[in-house]
Amino acid sequence: MRDIDVARWRLRSQHLVRPHAGSAGEVVGSLLAVQAENPGQAAWAVASRTRNPDEADLAALLASGAVVRTHVLRPTWHFARAEDIGWLLDLTGPRVRRLTGQQLRNAHGLDEGSIDRAIAAVLEALESRGQLTRAQLAEELRERGVTSDGQMLMILLAHAELDGLICSGRVAGGEHTYALMAERVPAPRRLSRTEALAELALRYYTGHGPATERDLAYWATLTLTDVRTGLHEVRDRLDSFEHDGRTFWHAPGEPPGGPQEPAGHLLQILDETYRGYQDSRWVLDAAGDVPRSREATTGMALVDGQLVAPMRRTIGRDRVRFDLRPYRALTPPQIEALDQAAGRYGEYLRLKAELTLP
């Protein structure tokens, strides 16, 4: 087993190569949660894994509440199915909520009473007025005597999301709104802690595998003890192998025999191919071409599961441009694969696509 073999296997597990998933709902369910800090690029992260990428597919699920966008797993937004958000928040919310609570206390000077009163004001506003944007909520809080700057309000809302009190509402005028979780997900599925750890392990290693215990601990902000508890419950439904001194877990099956189609991908740095791992993230760079010092770009270009260039996407009136600065000279087949990836992205946005290289 080589790093590139693991990277290729992950492309297949994540539906980035054929056969793609049949729908946006299938993608979100398969991955369990999809990081969604940037809604537009996160929508492409979902659509790029489907057979017929269509913005309306995910948009309809978000509008209906079948998929919600909320803080879960880590201190950032994710897409998750309504049927999964309850037990996921029960399992991962408390540890992450300690982080947001610490930020509210240390950076913004709020004590527990102030936090509780501010959240109560948010809930009262949503109950009385329905789904509201962040700006509308800020105004509602001011009217109720709660002063909040932009950063404090963002953390406060995340704190309430992690407690399962609020989540995404329908998009209004192109803006994200907040809604009461009880209205959007009236009957959340609940699991015991052991059941939740087991389901998390099974679905993460099925949708993201092969991956290590530390990869899952990072992804879900859990301890290694928690991860191992979940694995113990489902290890008979998973397979594993040793590579680079670590155990990699995955759904039963054989690795891909070689390169797959499509070969090229243009993805945000927050995509699950990158952000879904930490311990073994760099199977994306088997040649060691990528500087490990910092993430200096918003996007990445991959060919055959390998990171070949940072990518910056620019959307204009009639076209979308992808600027690449390769880590090493690209071959004609690699350029062709990325040009085809740009074309797929352009078709999704209904814009002409342009790929630029130095």
Side-chain angles (χ1 to χ4, degrees), residues 27-79:
V27 171
V28 177
S30 175
L31 291 171
L32 187 54
V34 179
Q35 187 162 336
E37 189 171 335
N38 181 315
Q41 293 208 40
W44 170 244
V46 173
S48 64
R49 291 165 162 84
T50 64
R51 287 192 290 271
N52 300 297
D54 186 347
E55 286 184 287
D57 190 1
L58 178 64
L61 296 174
L62 289 166
S64 70
V67 168
V68 297
R69 177 177 178 258
T70 195
H71 279 73
V72 69
L73 295 174
R74 300 187 302 282
T76 190
W77 282 282
H78 286 80
F79 295 135

Side-chain angles (χ1 to χ4, degrees), residues 156-214:
L156 180 74
L157 294 174
H159 199 63
E161 287 180 316
L162 288 161
D163 208 25
L165 299 173
I166 64 174
C167 64
S168 61
R170 297 180 184 86
V171 173
E175 289 192 62
H176 174 82
T177 69
Y178 293 87
L180 295 173
M181 177 74 84
E183 293 182 356
R184 295 295 271 173
V185 189
R189 180 181 173 217
R190 304 294 188 190
L191 300 174
S192 72
R193 184 170 181 82
T194 299
E195 289 172 334
L197 289 170
E199 179 145 353
L200 180 81
L202 181 64
R203 291 177 63 182
Y204 173 80
Y205 290 116
T206 299
H208 288 75
T212 70
E213 293 176 347
R214 291 185 183 276

Side-chain angles (χ1 to χ4, degrees), residues 1-13 210 256 260 273 281-286 302 304-306:
M1 187 66 64
R2 303 167 298 165
D3 279 359
I4 193 170
D5 298 318
V6 177
R8 287 168 174 166
W9 202 334
R10 289 177 178 175
L11 291 179
R12 188 179 69 189
S13 297
Q260 303 159 98
T273 55
R281 176 178 292 167
W282 291 109
V283 298
L284 288 171
D285 179 34
L302 297 105
D304 192 18
Q306 295 297 290

